[in-house]
Amino acid sequence: MAFSQIRLKILPSVRCLFDKVVQVKVEGLAPHKAVQLRSRLVDDKGVVFKASALYKADESGLVDVSSDPSLGGSYTGVEPMGLLWAMAPETPHKKVVKKNVLSPTLIEIAAHNGDTGELLACETNERGYMAEGMKRIPVQEGRVRGVLFIPPGKGPFPAIVDLYTFGGGLSEQRASLLANKGFVVLALAYYGYQDLPKKPKRLDLEYFEEAANYLQNHPEVFPGIGVISMSHSGALGLSMASFLPGITATVCINGCLANTVIPLHYKDIVIPPLQPNLQNIRMVESGIIDIRNVIPDPTLEKNIASLIPIERASCHFLFAVSEDDHNWTSAVFAKRAAELLGNHGKESFEVVSYPNAGHLLEVPHMPCCSSGFHAALGCAVVFGGEPKAHSEAQLDLWERVQEFFKKHLKSTSAN
């Protein structure tokens, strides 16, 4: 079996946006030969993520990952993007970090002899975040800190505030990829970024109001703003919808309908953080902690001071929840939110639930982070999620988010 005759191909191109599906093929193998495919990613913090899968060539010496089943390894069955979503970190409790969306994430894919482990062929999939012609504009406007993404083409465009932050700082992955779909997106930081405090003692909703006004007044933006949030920022997104004018569509991913961790202030209103039941922390077999039942039901009488008054909102809501979320009981929180809205005659909401998905629902093909560092607790916790089900949830949610915003924000002929 000559090395020079074997080719690993990534189609339609080795370069694509991160949310795109690619076809991986190995050609020139001996008929029915076993081949192991290995994927490798080194993130922006130097953490290595890997997956592998065992395939058998057909009678023509071809392996096509889009139609052939994996017989073993990190996943089994026909999984066209399994070499990405099934990757696991070499260092436990890590998630893929991408600090610089101006450069692509590089996925090395290699074919090895299934019997000897000999390297047969390799290629690198360059998965980018910004389409040609997109503008990336760092924002330091008044108190507002973040990055603005403006899609190519002629505006104005519908606009979204992206409140993705995980342990502080700023993530631009989701914002940049959403902007490729025809939205102006402001990736908004609110702590641990530039001159913003690392450990704020309070959060001011006026800061988020200033950010929404900045975006709404931008000449490339249609009237009406969308908000997308996840985890801790869920309550901030719900608060923006409840108190601020001009918010017309809000996506809350695995959030809580009460304020948590840090007091939230708006004018003369103070919403205290919901008090956790720390006695509900439990240790799991892997030696890390499970905090799923630590945050109590926020609709109980003793907790309502922390409840976000979403009945005040006039926007449309999309609540997306994972049934295997171990950060907290996000499915219960979404149910309570739906009940609260329904009791006030509100019908402009939808809830989508994903069995076996974990807390951190990311962009498509991102590896599942089933455990990781929790900023508020300062240690590793269980986040939950079965990799395949989690990946399927991310794919479905990505399409739902786009459809939701295109429906409820004034849209253009977006991609």
Side-chain angles (χ1 to χ4, degrees):
M1 185 163 52
F3 180 88
S4 60
Q5 295 176 346
I6 299 172
R7 296 285 185 270
L8 191 152
K9 296 182 177 180
I10 299 173
L11 304 170
S13 171
V14 295
R15 297 180 180 88
C16 64
L17 292 174
F18 195 94
D19 61 334
K20 299 300 184 184
V21 174
V22 292
Q23 185 179 19
V24 177
K25 289 184 175 183
V26 184
E27 300 174 344
L29 297 163
H32 310 297
K33 181 65 180 176
V35 60
Q36 185 186 62
L37 294 182
R38 302 176 188 174
S39 57
R40 185 177 186 270
L41 177 162
V42 182
D43 77 358
D44 286 2
K45 283 194 171 183
V47 178
V48 177
F49 294 75
K50 290 181 176 180
S52 66
L54 183 66
Y55 289 89
K56 182 176 286 189
D58 65 14
E59 58 186 15
S60 68
L62 171 69
V63 167
D64 185 343
V65 174
S66 66
S67 56
D68 295 337
S70 166
L71 305 176
S74 302
Y75 61 92
T76 57
V78 179
E79 298 292 343
M81 298 297 288
L83 289 169
L84 271 73
W85 62 251
M87 285 192 290
E90 287 189 338
T91 306
H93 319 311
K94 296 294 184 180
K95 69 185 292 292
V96 175
V97 173
K98 183 61 182 171
K99 295 181 177 180
N100 179 16
V101 297
L102 295 174
S103 64
T105 293
L106 304 180
I107 313 291
E108 300 172 6
I109 301 177
H112 294 257
N113 186 306
D115 300 318
T116 67
E118 174 194 6
L119 176 65
L120 304 176
C122 62
E123 187 58 272
T124 299
N125 185 197
E126 300 178 16
R127 306 186 69 81
Y129 299 89
M130 297 173 57
E132 185 176 353
M134 182 185 294
K135 298 176 185 176
R136 178 189 176 274
I137 305 170
V139 176
Q140 289 186 316
E141 190 77 19
R143 293 187 297 168
V144 179
R145 299 292 180 268
V147 173
L148 185 70
F149 294 93
I150 302 176
K154 185 177 180 181
F157 303 96
I160 301 166
V161 176
D162 187 338
L163 295 175
Y164 189 122
T165 184
F166 188 72
L170 186 69
S171 171
E172 302 175 27
Q173 295 173 87
R174 184 172 66 190
S176 57
L177 290 171
L178 266 179
N180 292 317
K181 308 302 180 181
F183 302 99
V184 170
V185 186
L186 174 62
L188 181 65
Y190 61 90
Y191 76 101
Y193 180 75
Q194 294 184 354
D195 56 351
L196 297 176
K198 290 183 178 180
K199 295 182 178 181
K201 295 182 178 179
R202 59 183 274 178
L203 293 174
D204 294 317
L205 195 59
E206 286 90 347
Y207 171 81
F208 300 89
E209 185 172 36
E210 188 176 339
N213 290 338
Y214 162 80
L215 189 56
Q216 185 64 90
N217 292 329
H218 196 283
E220 295 277 9
V221 169
F222 278 127
I225 297 292
V227 178
I228 184 168
S229 60
M230 183 174 73
S231 192
H232 175 265
S233 69
L236 297 173
L238 297 179
S239 297
M240 292 177 70
S242 301
F243 290 103
L244 308 184
I247 307 299
T248 59
T250 302
V251 175
C252 180
I253 303 169
N254 287 330
C256 182
L257 74 157
N259 185 40
T260 59
V261 186
I262 307 170
L264 180 63
H265 292 239
Y266 184 57
K267 298 181 180 178
D268 59 349
I269 300 170
V270 179
I271 303 178
L274 191 60
Q275 293 303 305
N277 293 326
L278 298 180
Q279 65 271 22
N280 289 341
I281 293 176
R282 67 182 185 88
M283 188 75 69
V284 298
E285 290 182 4
S286 62
I288 61 174
I289 63 173
D290 187 328
I291 60 172
R292 183 172 193 168
N293 296 310
V294 166
I295 299 298
D297 186 341
T299 61
L300 297 177
E301 183 67 28
K302 63 180 180 180
N303 297 325
I304 58 174
S306 300
L307 201 61
I308 308 301
I310 56 175
E311 70 277 4
R312 295 173 47 131
S314 57
C315 74
H316 296 269
F317 289 102
L318 172 61
F319 297 95
V321 298
S322 298
E323 294 180 16
D324 194 38
D325 185 350
H326 280 255
N327 184 74
W328 50 27
T329 54
S330 52
V332 173
F333 299 153
K335 181 180 178 181
R336 296 289 184 267
E339 291 169 351
L340 184 60
L341 291 169
N343 290 341
H344 286 82
K346 306 279 187 174
E347 298 180 350
S348 55
F349 64 88
E350 43 189 307
V351 178
V352 57
S353 184
Y354 296 108
N356 301 316
H359 182 62
L360 295 174
L361 287 177
E362 305 269 7
V363 297
H365 320 308
M366 187 66 71
C368 175
C369 178
S370 59
S371 64
F373 182 81
H374 194 287
L377 294 174
C379 61
V381 303
V382 179
F383 286 137
E386 185 277 317
K388 176 176 166 59
H390 192 87
S391 176
E392 292 171 347
Q394 290 179 160
L395 280 169
D396 182 82
L397 180 59
W398 187 238
E399 296 302 320
R400 285 180 185 268
V401 165
Q402 295 171 54
E403 292 169 6
F404 177 80
F405 282 133
K406 288 175 182 178
K407 180 178 180 181
H408 298 298
L409 300 176
K410 188 174 182 180
S411 188
T412 62
S413 55
N415 294 351

